[in-house]
Amino acid sequence: MTTTGRRALLTAGVSAAAAAALSGCTSEEPAPRKPGAAELEAERVARAEAALRLRSVTASRTLLERYDAALAAHPALAPRLNPLRRSVAAHAVALGEGGTTVRPATAAPTAAPASSVSVSASASASASASASAKPTASPVPVAGDPRAALRELAAAERTASDAHTAALLTAPPEYARLLASVAAAGAAHAYLLTEGARA
């Protein structure tokens, strides 16, 4: 092969490589990728788990509001109720960890939508804030008699515990263990609020 032939071949190769590189650099956005069946199934499972977490956090927050209302109506019960209330606040935080929203499988992978902020951060912040806040008057009705208020609180603990126990059937294994632990703690709280006081 002559020198001219080699130069022509080298020039043609460099030109072809440059053309190929430039054709890959376009200003057009690529079309959104259609998610596969596995991605859609993973999104469905994640949405179901997020909804379960949201229900569990809501049950614990509702119970926390009951404690606040009882403490506001009967401040003399504070030594007895504050440790249980702190436990319920910690449960609300733990149940919300992992988030209660899901990013759609069809979303572009580069930027998360503003609406996909996890509730775990807000659950953690609100439960922590409410754990240290002094109870204030609440619209939750509380019995005027302290013993009746304790019975109402024990019933609310049992209701929350039953909700967490029912959620075990559809919860993923790790979250099911957490729910079982919180449900057991709720049953113990109910006992301490009623029967335990008599012992």
mmCIF file of all heavy atoms in Angstrom, residues 147-185:
data_model
loop_
_atom_site.group_PDB
_atom_site.id
_atom_site.type_symbol
_atom_site.label_atom_id
_atom_site.label_comp_id
_atom_site.label_asym_id
_atom_site.label_seq_id
_atom_site.Cartn_x
_atom_site.Cartn_y
_atom_site.Cartn_z
ATOM 1 N N ARG A 147 -60.227 7.935 85.713
ATOM 2 C CA ARG A 147 -60.278 6.493 85.467
ATOM 3 C C ARG A 147 -60.965 6.179 84.137
ATOM 4 O O ARG A 147 -60.533 5.300 83.392
ATOM 5 C CB ARG A 147 -60.999 5.782 86.609
ATOM 6 C CG ARG A 147 -60.166 5.717 87.877
ATOM 7 C CD ARG A 147 -60.904 4.889 88.931
ATOM 8 N NE ARG A 147 -60.146 4.818 90.135
ATOM 9 C CZ ARG A 147 -59.268 3.868 90.430
ATOM 10 N NH1 ARG A 147 -59.041 2.920 89.553
ATOM 11 N NH2 ARG A 147 -58.626 3.881 91.566
ATOM 12 N N ALA A 148 -62.027 6.911 83.854
ATOM 13 C CA ALA A 148 -62.718 6.712 82.574
ATOM 14 C C ALA A 148 -61.815 7.143 81.417
ATOM 15 O O ALA A 148 -61.806 6.506 80.354
ATOM 16 C CB ALA A 148 -64.026 7.493 82.560
ATOM 17 N N ALA A 149 -61.049 8.215 81.620
ATOM 18 C CA ALA A 149 -60.115 8.671 80.581
ATOM 19 C C ALA A 149 -59.056 7.606 80.314
ATOM 20 O O ALA A 149 -58.678 7.373 79.156
ATOM 21 C CB ALA A 149 -59.468 9.986 80.996
ATOM 22 N N LEU A 150 -58.586 6.949 81.366
ATOM 23 C CA LEU A 150 -57.610 5.869 81.189
ATOM 24 C C LEU A 150 -58.222 4.688 80.436
ATOM 25 O O LEU A 150 -57.571 4.081 79.584
ATOM 26 C CB LEU A 150 -57.076 5.402 82.546
ATOM 27 C CG LEU A 150 -56.144 6.371 83.271
ATOM 28 C CD1 LEU A 150 -55.794 5.847 84.658
ATOM 29 C CD2 LEU A 150 -54.895 6.635 82.465
ATOM 30 N N ARG A 151 -59.476 4.372 80.744
ATOM 31 C CA ARG A 151 -60.152 3.276 80.023
ATOM 32 C C ARG A 151 -60.303 3.632 78.537
ATOM 33 O O ARG A 151 -60.109 2.775 77.669
ATOM 34 C CB ARG A 151 -61.508 2.976 80.651
ATOM 35 C CG ARG A 151 -61.415 2.208 81.963
ATOM 36 C CD ARG A 151 -62.764 1.673 82.423
ATOM 37 N NE ARG A 151 -63.748 2.725 82.663
ATOM 38 C CZ ARG A 151 -63.897 3.365 83.817
ATOM 39 N NH1 ARG A 151 -63.132 3.057 84.853
ATOM 40 N NH2 ARG A 151 -64.824 4.304 83.942
ATOM 41 N N GLU A 152 -60.642 4.893 78.251
ATOM 42 C CA GLU A 152 -60.760 5.329 76.855
ATOM 43 C C GLU A 152 -59.413 5.225 76.139
ATOM 44 O O GLU A 152 -59.340 4.796 74.982
ATOM 45 C CB GLU A 152 -61.256 6.775 76.789
ATOM 46 C CG GLU A 152 -62.705 6.959 77.162
ATOM 47 C CD GLU A 152 -63.117 8.424 77.188
ATOM 48 O OE1 GLU A 152 -62.236 9.308 77.090
ATOM 49 O OE2 GLU A 152 -64.332 8.680 77.306
ATOM 50 N N LEU A 153 -58.356 5.632 76.822
ATOM 51 C CA LEU A 153 -57.021 5.570 76.237
ATOM 52 C C LEU A 153 -56.603 4.109 75.997
ATOM 53 O O LEU A 153 -56.005 3.793 74.957
ATOM 54 C CB LEU A 153 -56.031 6.274 77.164
ATOM 55 C CG LEU A 153 -54.750 6.799 76.549
ATOM 56 C CD1 LEU A 153 -55.013 7.621 75.299
ATOM 57 C CD2 LEU A 153 -53.997 7.631 77.575
ATOM 58 N N ALA A 154 -56.963 3.230 76.949
ATOM 59 C CA ALA A 154 -56.665 1.811 76.771
ATOM 60 C C ALA A 154 -57.427 1.248 75.564
ATOM 61 O O ALA A 154 -56.867 0.456 74.780
ATOM 62 C CB ALA A 154 -57.032 1.041 78.034
ATOM 63 N N ALA A 155 -58.660 1.673 75.382
ATOM 64 C CA ALA A 155 -59.444 1.229 74.222
ATOM 65 C C ALA A 155 -58.804 1.735 72.927
ATOM 66 O O ALA A 155 -58.751 1.003 71.921
ATOM 67 C CB ALA A 155 -60.888 1.715 74.335
ATOM 68 N N ALA A 156 -58.303 2.972 72.935
ATOM 69 C CA ALA A 156 -57.628 3.516 71.752
ATOM 70 C C ALA A 156 -56.342 2.733 71.468
ATOM 71 O O ALA A 156 -56.006 2.476 70.306
ATOM 72 C CB ALA A 156 -57.324 4.995 71.954
ATOM 73 N N GLU A 157 -55.624 2.346 72.511
ATOM 74 C CA GLU A 157 -54.420 1.520 72.336
ATOM 75 C C GLU A 157 -54.784 0.183 71.709
ATOM 76 O O GLU A 157 -54.103 -0.289 70.799
ATOM 77 C CB GLU A 157 -53.729 1.275 73.682
ATOM 78 C CG GLU A 157 -52.878 2.420 74.173
ATOM 79 C CD GLU A 157 -51.481 2.470 73.554
ATOM 80 O OE1 GLU A 157 -51.205 1.717 72.594
ATOM 81 O OE2 GLU A 157 -50.676 3.270 74.031
ATOM 82 N N ARG A 158 -55.862 -0.443 72.173
ATOM 83 C CA ARG A 158 -56.288 -1.732 71.608
ATOM 84 C C ARG A 158 -56.703 -1.578 70.143
ATOM 85 O O ARG A 158 -56.396 -2.438 69.317
ATOM 86 C CB ARG A 158 -57.423 -2.337 72.435
ATOM 87 C CG ARG A 158 -56.942 -2.990 73.726
ATOM 88 C CD ARG A 158 -58.050 -3.772 74.419
ATOM 89 N NE ARG A 158 -59.028 -2.907 75.058
ATOM 90 C CZ ARG A 158 -58.904 -2.400 76.282
ATOM 91 N NH1 ARG A 158 -57.844 -2.666 76.997
ATOM 92 N NH2 ARG A 158 -59.844 -1.633 76.783
ATOM 93 N N THR A 159 -57.392 -0.476 69.831
ATOM 94 C CA THR A 159 -57.808 -0.240 68.440
ATOM 95 C C THR A 159 -56.591 -0.112 67.531
ATOM 96 O O THR A 159 -56.538 -0.711 66.449
ATOM 97 C CB THR A 159 -58.680 1.029 68.355
ATOM 98 O OG1 THR A 159 -59.846 0.843 69.165
ATOM 99 C CG2 THR A 159 -59.086 1.335 66.926
ATOM 100 N N ALA A 160 -55.606 0.671 67.953
ATOM 101 C CA ALA A 160 -54.382 0.836 67.155
ATOM 102 C C ALA A 160 -53.635 -0.489 67.050
ATOM 103 O O ALA A 160 -53.141 -0.852 65.977
ATOM 104 C CB ALA A 160 -53.493 1.907 67.767
ATOM 105 N N SER A 161 -53.566 -1.221 68.151
ATOM 106 C CA SER A 161 -52.884 -2.515 68.147
ATOM 107 C C SER A 161 -53.571 -3.487 67.188
ATOM 108 O O SER A 161 -52.904 -4.203 66.428
ATOM 109 C CB SER A 161 -52.874 -3.088 69.565
ATOM 110 O OG SER A 161 -52.243 -4.335 69.598
ATOM 111 N N ASP A 162 -54.901 -3.497 67.196
ATOM 112 C CA ASP A 162 -55.653 -4.356 66.271
ATOM 113 C C ASP A 162 -55.399 -3.962 64.816
ATOM 114 O O ASP A 162 -55.279 -4.829 63.945
ATOM 115 C CB ASP A 162 -57.147 -4.296 66.577
ATOM 116 C CG ASP A 162 -57.508 -4.975 67.893
ATOM 117 O OD1 ASP A 162 -56.664 -5.715 68.442
ATOM 118 O OD2 ASP A 162 -58.635 -4.744 68.380
ATOM 119 N N ALA A 163 -55.309 -2.658 64.553
ATOM 120 C CA ALA A 163 -55.037 -2.191 63.182
ATOM 121 C C ALA A 163 -53.657 -2.651 62.723
ATOM 122 O O ALA A 163 -53.481 -3.095 61.584
ATOM 123 C CB ALA A 163 -55.146 -0.671 63.115
ATOM 124 N N HIS A 164 -52.669 -2.554 63.608
ATOM 125 C CA HIS A 164 -51.314 -2.996 63.248
ATOM 126 C C HIS A 164 -51.275 -4.515 63.050
ATOM 127 O O HIS A 164 -50.602 -5.007 62.145
ATOM 128 C CB HIS A 164 -50.312 -2.573 64.322
ATOM 129 C CG HIS A 164 -50.172 -1.090 64.462
ATOM 130 N ND1 HIS A 164 -50.083 -0.232 63.392
ATOM 131 C CD2 HIS A 164 -50.093 -0.308 65.568
ATOM 132 C CE1 HIS A 164 -49.976 1.011 63.821
ATOM 133 N NE2 HIS A 164 -49.979 0.995 65.138
ATOM 134 N N THR A 165 -52.012 -5.246 63.871
ATOM 135 C CA THR A 165 -52.051 -6.703 63.734
ATOM 136 C C THR A 165 -52.707 -7.098 62.409
ATOM 137 O O THR A 165 -52.222 -7.998 61.715
ATOM 138 C CB THR A 165 -52.814 -7.332 64.915
ATOM 139 O OG1 THR A 165 -52.153 -6.970 66.135
ATOM 140 C CG2 THR A 165 -52.862 -8.839 64.804
ATOM 141 N N ALA A 166 -53.785 -6.423 62.037
ATOM 142 C CA ALA A 166 -54.461 -6.727 60.768
ATOM 143 C C ALA A 166 -53.554 -6.428 59.574
ATOM 144 O O ALA A 166 -53.601 -7.121 58.556
ATOM 145 C CB ALA A 166 -55.755 -5.924 60.660
ATOM 146 N N ALA A 167 -52.700 -5.422 59.708
ATOM 147 C CA ALA A 167 -51.804 -5.039 58.610
ATOM 148 C C ALA A 167 -50.697 -6.065 58.389
ATOM 149 O O ALA A 167 -50.052 -6.060 57.335
ATOM 150 C CB ALA A 167 -51.205 -3.664 58.882
ATOM 151 N N LEU A 168 -50.479 -6.943 59.355
ATOM 152 C CA LEU A 168 -49.417 -7.950 59.219
ATOM 153 C C LEU A 168 -49.622 -8.844 57.998
ATOM 154 O O LEU A 168 -48.655 -9.318 57.401
ATOM 155 C CB LEU A 168 -49.370 -8.842 60.470
ATOM 156 C CG LEU A 168 -48.846 -8.199 61.742
ATOM 157 C CD1 LEU A 168 -49.050 -9.136 62.924
ATOM 158 C CD2 LEU A 168 -47.400 -7.837 61.600
ATOM 159 N N LEU A 169 -50.873 -9.083 57.637
ATOM 160 C CA LEU A 169 -51.174 -10.009 56.544
ATOM 161 C C LEU A 169 -50.601 -9.564 55.208
ATOM 162 O O LEU A 169 -50.236 -10.399 54.377
ATOM 163 C CB LEU A 169 -52.689 -10.191 56.418
ATOM 164 C CG LEU A 169 -53.377 -10.816 57.629
ATOM 165 C CD1 LEU A 169 -54.883 -10.790 57.452
ATOM 166 C CD2 LEU A 169 -52.872 -12.221 57.870
ATOM 167 N N THR A 170 -50.531 -8.256 54.986
ATOM 168 C CA THR A 170 -50.071 -7.757 53.689
ATOM 169 C C THR A 170 -48.714 -7.075 53.755
ATOM 170 O O THR A 170 -48.218 -6.611 52.740
ATOM 171 C CB THR A 170 -51.099 -6.772 53.112
ATOM 172 O OG1 THR A 170 -51.295 -5.701 54.051
ATOM 173 C CG2 THR A 170 -52.420 -7.453 52.822
ATOM 174 N N ALA A 171 -48.117 -7.017 54.934
ATOM 175 C CA ALA A 171 -46.847 -6.304 55.095
ATOM 176 C C ALA A 171 -45.674 -7.156 54.627
ATOM 177 O O ALA A 171 -45.681 -8.376 54.784
ATOM 178 C CB ALA A 171 -46.657 -5.910 56.553
ATOM 179 N N PRO A 172 -44.638 -6.501 54.060
ATOM 180 C CA PRO A 172 -43.414 -7.252 53.754
ATOM 181 C C PRO A 172 -42.764 -7.717 55.065
ATOM 182 O O PRO A 172 -43.031 -7.132 56.122
ATOM 183 C CB PRO A 172 -42.544 -6.232 53.016
ATOM 184 C CG PRO A 172 -43.151 -4.909 53.244
ATOM 185 C CD PRO A 172 -44.562 -5.110 53.671
ATOM 186 N N PRO A 173 -41.932 -8.740 55.034
ATOM 187 C CA PRO A 173 -41.426 -9.356 56.266
ATOM 188 C C PRO A 173 -40.805 -8.392 57.282
ATOM 189 O O PRO A 173 -41.147 -8.450 58.461
ATOM 190 C CB PRO A 173 -40.389 -10.361 55.758
ATOM 191 C CG PRO A 173 -40.814 -10.677 54.373
ATOM 192 C CD PRO A 173 -41.444 -9.430 53.838
ATOM 193 N N GLU A 174 -39.922 -7.530 56.849
ATOM 194 C CA GLU A 174 -39.261 -6.629 57.803
ATOM 195 C C GLU A 174 -40.263 -5.680 58.453
ATOM 196 O O GLU A 174 -40.232 -5.448 59.660
ATOM 197 C CB GLU A 174 -38.160 -5.840 57.096
ATOM 198 C CG GLU A 174 -37.356 -4.970 58.040
ATOM 199 C CD GLU A 174 -36.227 -4.251 57.339
ATOM 200 O OE1 GLU A 174 -35.754 -4.716 56.289
ATOM 201 O OE2 GLU A 174 -35.813 -3.204 57.859
ATOM 202 N N TYR A 175 -41.159 -5.132 57.653
ATOM 203 C CA TYR A 175 -42.163 -4.211 58.189
ATOM 204 C C TYR A 175 -43.173 -4.967 59.060
ATOM 205 O O TYR A 175 -43.670 -4.431 60.047
ATOM 206 C CB TYR A 175 -42.864 -3.467 57.050
ATOM 207 C CG TYR A 175 -43.577 -2.215 57.496
ATOM 208 C CD1 TYR A 175 -42.866 -1.144 58.021
ATOM 209 C CD2 TYR A 175 -44.946 -2.096 57.400
ATOM 210 C CE1 TYR A 175 -43.512 0.008 58.442
ATOM 211 C CE2 TYR A 175 -45.602 -0.947 57.815
ATOM 212 C CZ TYR A 175 -44.878 0.103 58.325
ATOM 213 O OH TYR A 175 -45.515 1.248 58.745
ATOM 214 N N ALA A 176 -43.455 -6.216 58.717
ATOM 215 C CA ALA A 176 -44.366 -7.034 59.520
ATOM 216 C C ALA A 176 -43.796 -7.242 60.924
ATOM 217 O O ALA A 176 -44.531 -7.202 61.917
ATOM 218 C CB ALA A 176 -44.618 -8.375 58.842
ATOM 219 N N ARG A 177 -42.477 -7.438 61.025
ATOM 220 C CA ARG A 177 -41.858 -7.589 62.345
ATOM 221 C C ARG A 177 -42.023 -6.315 63.163
ATOM 222 O O ARG A 177 -42.314 -6.359 64.362
ATOM 223 C CB ARG A 177 -40.378 -7.958 62.194
ATOM 224 C CG ARG A 177 -40.161 -9.397 61.789
ATOM 225 C CD ARG A 177 -38.705 -9.801 61.870
ATOM 226 N NE ARG A 177 -37.858 -9.147 60.884
ATOM 227 C CZ ARG A 177 -37.693 -9.578 59.640
ATOM 228 N NH1 ARG A 177 -38.310 -10.674 59.237
ATOM 229 N NH2 ARG A 177 -36.919 -8.935 58.804
ATOM 230 N N LEU A 178 -41.840 -5.175 62.515
ATOM 231 C CA LEU A 178 -42.013 -3.894 63.209
ATOM 232 C C LEU A 178 -43.464 -3.722 63.652
ATOM 233 O O LEU A 178 -43.740 -3.330 64.789
ATOM 234 C CB LEU A 178 -41.587 -2.737 62.304
ATOM 235 C CG LEU A 178 -41.793 -1.336 62.856
ATOM 236 C CD1 LEU A 178 -40.994 -1.117 64.138
ATOM 237 C CD2 LEU A 178 -41.409 -0.301 61.808
ATOM 238 N N LEU A 179 -44.406 -4.031 62.767
ATOM 239 C CA LEU A 179 -45.825 -3.929 63.119
ATOM 240 C C LEU A 179 -46.181 -4.848 64.279
ATOM 241 O O LEU A 179 -46.935 -4.460 65.180
ATOM 242 C CB LEU A 179 -46.701 -4.272 61.906
ATOM 243 C CG LEU A 179 -46.802 -3.208 60.814
ATOM 244 C CD1 LEU A 179 -47.484 -3.797 59.581
ATOM 245 C CD2 LEU A 179 -47.545 -1.995 61.310
ATOM 246 N N ALA A 180 -45.642 -6.061 64.272
ATOM 247 C CA ALA A 180 -45.917 -6.997 65.358
ATOM 248 C C ALA A 180 -45.384 -6.455 66.681
ATOM 249 O O ALA A 180 -46.053 -6.553 67.720
ATOM 250 C CB ALA A 180 -45.296 -8.360 65.045
ATOM 251 N N SER A 181 -44.211 -5.852 66.629
ATOM 252 C CA SER A 181 -43.623 -5.276 67.843
ATOM 253 C C SER A 181 -44.458 -4.116 68.363
ATOM 254 O O SER A 181 -44.725 -4.005 69.569
ATOM 255 C CB SER A 181 -42.191 -4.822 67.535
ATOM 256 O OG SER A 181 -41.618 -4.188 68.638
ATOM 257 N N VAL A 182 -44.887 -3.242 67.458
ATOM 258 C CA VAL A 182 -45.708 -2.090 67.858
ATOM 259 C C VAL A 182 -47.067 -2.555 68.376
ATOM 260 O O VAL A 182 -47.583 -2.025 69.369
ATOM 261 C CB VAL A 182 -45.856 -1.096 66.677
ATOM 262 C CG1 VAL A 182 -46.861 -0.011 66.990
ATOM 263 C CG2 VAL A 182 -44.506 -0.479 66.333
ATOM 264 N N ALA A 183 -47.648 -3.566 67.732
ATOM 265 C CA ALA A 183 -48.938 -4.104 68.196
ATOM 266 C C ALA A 183 -48.807 -4.705 69.593
ATOM 267 O O ALA A 183 -49.671 -4.503 70.456
ATOM 268 C CB ALA A 183 -49.462 -5.148 67.208
ATOM 269 N N ALA A 184 -47.717 -5.422 69.839
ATOM 270 C CA ALA A 184 -47.494 -5.999 71.167
ATOM 271 C C ALA A 184 -47.305 -4.907 72.209
ATOM 272 O O ALA A 184 -47.822 -5.011 73.333
ATOM 273 C CB ALA A 184 -46.275 -6.922 71.132
ATOM 274 N N ALA A 185 -46.585 -3.868 71.853
ATOM 275 C CA ALA A 185 -46.402 -2.746 72.782
ATOM 276 C C ALA A 185 -47.737 -2.086 73.088
ATOM 277 O O ALA A 185 -48.014 -1.713 74.238
ATOM 278 C CB ALA A 185 -45.429 -1.732 72.193
#
